[in-house]
Amino acid sequence: MPLNKTLLKEQLAELSKKDLAEMVLKLAAKRYNYEFLLVNFLDKDGGEQTLFEEAKEAIDNLDQKEFKGRTIQHQMVKRLNACTKRITEFTVETKSKKLEADLILHVLEMQFKQPGKVFGARVSGYDYKVGLLLKKLISIVTKKLHPDYLIDYQDKINIFLEKLHRTSDRVNTIRDLPQEIE
């Protein structure tokens, strides 16, 4: 059944302010509704930044969480998948590509702080997942952000690229990545 906005407006106009407030609070209990209200109505200027901080904190918590897996790399793939899912949830309501790039960079920095031996495993898929996330960051920085932002990300991305190419160049996704961005 299609949504009849006129009918909905009439029905909402008949509700008291108390009932409307109660309805909004109940809707805001679901995260997506809360994010929508925050970004579009409650805090138009700082709502995206608030959601960014919440997402960053959630990712930091995921980094501390224990994941099950046969090897360290398998555990790290599961952790990385959870972090990527949280980034995707963040981007549903926020349209800021700069904040999305900052979150991806934060996750990648956590991955590259790991000992070098976690990269290069032949069966885990960890290198592939890190390569996909790095590819996404490169795409955002080079195609969707203003060229001035490239300077902010270029050095870190080039360090990541160098390390991945040195340890995991057998993976097609990584082999297809540029040697460096300029």
Side-chain angles (χ1 to χ4, degrees):
M1 180 174 136
L3 176 67
N4 186 342
K5 289 185 180 182
T6 309
L7 180 61
L8 183 61
K9 282 183 182 181
E10 290 173 4
Q11 291 172 336
L12 289 174
E14 293 175 7
L15 294 175
S16 69
K17 188 173 183 176
K18 179 183 175 196
D19 290 339
L20 284 173
E22 189 176 311
M23 183 187 311
V24 168
L25 283 174
K26 191 165 189 144
L27 286 172
K30 301 216 184 288
R31 187 177 67 228
Y32 290 117
N33 293 338
Y34 162 73
E35 291 174 354
F36 175 80
L37 288 170
L38 183 66
V39 171
N40 295 304
F41 297 104
L42 301 176
D43 189 4
K44 290 181 181 180
D45 296 330
E48 287 184 342
Q49 187 63 37
T50 301
L51 293 178
F52 172 78
E53 296 299 329
E54 289 175 4
K56 192 173 178 182
E57 184 178 322
I59 287 170
D60 289 340
N61 290 338
L62 286 171
D63 190 45
Q64 303 302 317
K65 184 178 175 184
E66 289 290 326
F67 286 86
K68 293 184 180 192
R70 293 187 307 263
T71 64
I72 275 252
Q73 289 88 353
H74 286 104
Q75 294 167 9
M76 293 176 72
V77 166
K78 290 180 180 181
R79 182 175 294 116
L80 189 57
N81 285 339
C83 291
T84 304
K85 181 179 176 187
R86 185 61 183 99
I87 292 170
T88 303
E89 291 169 356
F90 168 76
T91 60
V92 168
E93 285 304 327
T94 56
K95 304 303 177 208
S96 171
K97 292 298 178 185
K98 169 78 169 92
L99 292 178
E100 180 181 0
D102 287 345
L103 264 185
I104 293 172
L105 182 66
H106 180 66
V107 170
L108 285 171
E109 285 173 336
M110 291 185 324
Q111 306 314 307
F112 284 98
K113 283 182 183 174
Q114 303 296 327
K117 64 183 180 180
V118 297
F119 292 103
R122 299 212 177 267
V123 294
S124 69
Y126 178 66
D127 301 1
Y128 170 73
K129 292 289 188 178
V130 171
L132 284 179
L133 200 56
L134 183 56
K135 182 178 180 179
K136 184 174 184 174
L137 178 62
I138 292 170
S139 174
I140 290 171
V141 169
T142 58
K143 296 177 184 166
K144 297 184 180 178
L145 288 179
H146 191 276
D148 291 346
Y149 284 116
L150 180 63
I151 296 167
D152 296 341
Y153 297 95
Q154 186 175 15
D155 291 339
K156 289 182 181 179
I157 289 174
N158 286 337
I159 290 169
F160 298 160
L161 284 169
E162 187 274 326
K163 186 169 185 178
L164 273 181
H165 281 297
R166 186 171 23 91
T167 59
S168 310
D169 212 29
R170 62 175 177 65
V171 179
N172 289 338
T173 303
I174 294 171
R175 196 176 314 126
D176 293 342
L177 289 173
Q179 292 297 320
E180 65 179 24
I181 60 170
E182 297 175 6

